[in-house]
């Protein structure tokens, strides 16, 4: 009998044959809607010669669709007990490499660097929700020239990531995202399209990395810190947010910095644009603060 990884019965049978149960602690919610799986795979890249990094292949549902469309798939799965399952479900594909490792420990340049000789390298994943932000941060900060990043994440997080900087829905992660690329939401996926069902609606979103950064803060770490501080104190005006977040900054210095931009003291920092955040961190740095 042919196995259908989008059939809930087949997936449960497969797990029980391998004596496995779904691990909540690893965010194991497997997709069981063939149309959605196929739509995600289609979105991954316009180039069939691309290499796809898949994070968390699970039992290989999305992996099979990716392998059928693209030159190569490198699938990284932390759960060692799923490796024999993947060897079985991906048996008919010779263009898939499965790596049994935590993606957070993966050296992206070492694993994927060679692949760039053959075409673009893109990321496609139904991400484990418990670790979405660290994974995206790692991908973006790595400097690896990914073609596109297509990921399914919690809808609420996707809305924040894709919100315009300075809007009500924006957060530190929105500014971080806008610094690295352009983020768009493709479609939402209800909980009943997974086994087991998560408690939340999910969203597929795409990130296209900037070829050239829109701003060039003098000190990148300070830029990120400034953004974080402003959003940690988002209910406070910028003067209070800065003096609370930078203990070495006196009220006089904070007033001078804010005044040099002509901003009103009651301004809330969450309203700042990407360029204003960058200029603000440069100004803070010119006072020798970090
Ligand atoms: N791709 C499959 C699908 O769409 O049905 C499974 C997606 S499931 C939401 C997330 C997968 O990521 C699980 O297989 C889980 O074991 C794996 N995972 C969790 N943490 C990981 C990590 N740090 N590194 C690599 N894989 C991880």
């Amino acid at each position: 009998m042919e196995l259908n990884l989008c059939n809930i019965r087949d997936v449960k049978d497969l797990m029980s044959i391998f004596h496995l149960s779904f691990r909540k602690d690893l965010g194991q919610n497997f997709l069981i809607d063939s149309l959605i799986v196929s739509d995600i795979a289609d979105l991954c890249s316009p180039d069939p010669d691309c290499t796809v990094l898949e994070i968390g292949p699970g039992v290989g549902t999305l992996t099979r669709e990716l392998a059928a469309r693209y030159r190569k798939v490198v699938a990284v799965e932390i759960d060692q007990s799923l490796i024999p399952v993947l060897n079985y479900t991906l048996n008919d594909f010779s263009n898939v490499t499965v790596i049994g490792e935590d993606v957070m420990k993966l050296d992206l340049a070492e694993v994927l660097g060679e692949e760039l000789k053959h075409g673009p390298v893109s990321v496609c994943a139904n991400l484990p929700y418990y670790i979405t932000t660290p994974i995206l941060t790692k991908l973006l900060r790595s400097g690896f020239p990914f073609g596109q990043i297509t990921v399914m994440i919690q809808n609420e997080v996707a809305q924040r990531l894709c919100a315009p900087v300075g809007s009500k829905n924006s957060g530190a992660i929105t500014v971080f995202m806008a610094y690295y690329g352009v983020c768009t939401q493709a479609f939402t996926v209800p909980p009943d399209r997974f086994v087991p069902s998560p408690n939340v609606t999910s969203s597929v979103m795409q990130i296209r990395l900037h070829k050239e950064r829109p701003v060039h803060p003098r000190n990148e770490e300070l830029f990120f810190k400034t953004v974080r501080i402003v959003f940690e104190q988002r209910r406070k005006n910028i003067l209070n947010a800065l003096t609370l977040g930078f203990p070495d900054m006196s009220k006089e210095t904070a007033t001078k910095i804010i005044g040099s931009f002509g901003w009103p003291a009651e301004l809330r920092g969450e309203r700042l644009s990407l360029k204003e955040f960058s200029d603000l961190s440069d100004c803070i740095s010119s006072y020798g603060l970090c």
Side-chain angles (χ1 to χ4, degrees), residues 103-171:
V103 72
M104 295 307 293
K105 295 189 180 141
L106 197 74
D107 184 332
L108 295 169
E110 189 183 301
V111 174
L112 298 167
E114 275 292 301
E115 305 301 337
L116 284 170
K117 290 184 186 154
H118 306 281
V121 176
S122 287
V123 177
C124 193
N126 169 15
L127 286 181
Y129 297 168
Y130 77 100
I131 196 177
T132 300
T133 306
I135 292 177
L136 287 178
T137 305
K138 172 173 176 139
L139 296 175
L140 297 175
R141 296 206 72 177
S142 69
F144 193 88
F146 290 113
Q148 290 189 171
I149 299 176
T150 305
V151 284
M152 175 138 67
I153 62 172
Q154 231 176 290
N155 186 43
E156 205 183 306
V157 180
Q159 283 176 339
R160 201 174 274 285
L161 277 162
C162 299
V165 173
S167 69
K168 224 172 121 207
N169 211 2
S170 68

Side-chain angles (χ1 to χ4, degrees), residues 26-31 54 56-58 76-78 102-103 126 128 130:
L26 292 179
Q28 290 182 353
N29 303 102
F30 299 155
L31 268 168
E54 188 194 2
V76 183
E77 174 57 61
I78 195 172
D102 178 351
V103 72
N126 169 15
Y130 77 100

Side-chain angles (χ1 to χ4, degrees), residues 221-274:
E221 289 311 317
L222 182 61
F223 167 66
F224 294 139
K225 183 176 172 184
T226 306
V227 172
R228 219 174 34 245
I229 281 170
V230 164
F231 281 97
E232 267 164 17
Q233 310 292 341
R234 67 185 299 157
R235 308 241 166 275
K236 299 207 164 23
N237 66 42
I238 185 130
L239 181 79
N240 289 336
L242 291 179
T243 47
L244 270 170
F246 292 97
D248 292 341
M249 188 187 289
S250 65
K251 205 163 181 176
E252 292 69 44
T253 305
T255 308
K256 258 197 218 163
I257 290 174
I258 293 162
S260 71
F261 293 104
W263 297 333
E266 68 278 7
L267 176 81
R268 288 203 183 160
E270 63 188 7
R271 293 272 162 239
L272 301 184
S273 68
L274 187 64

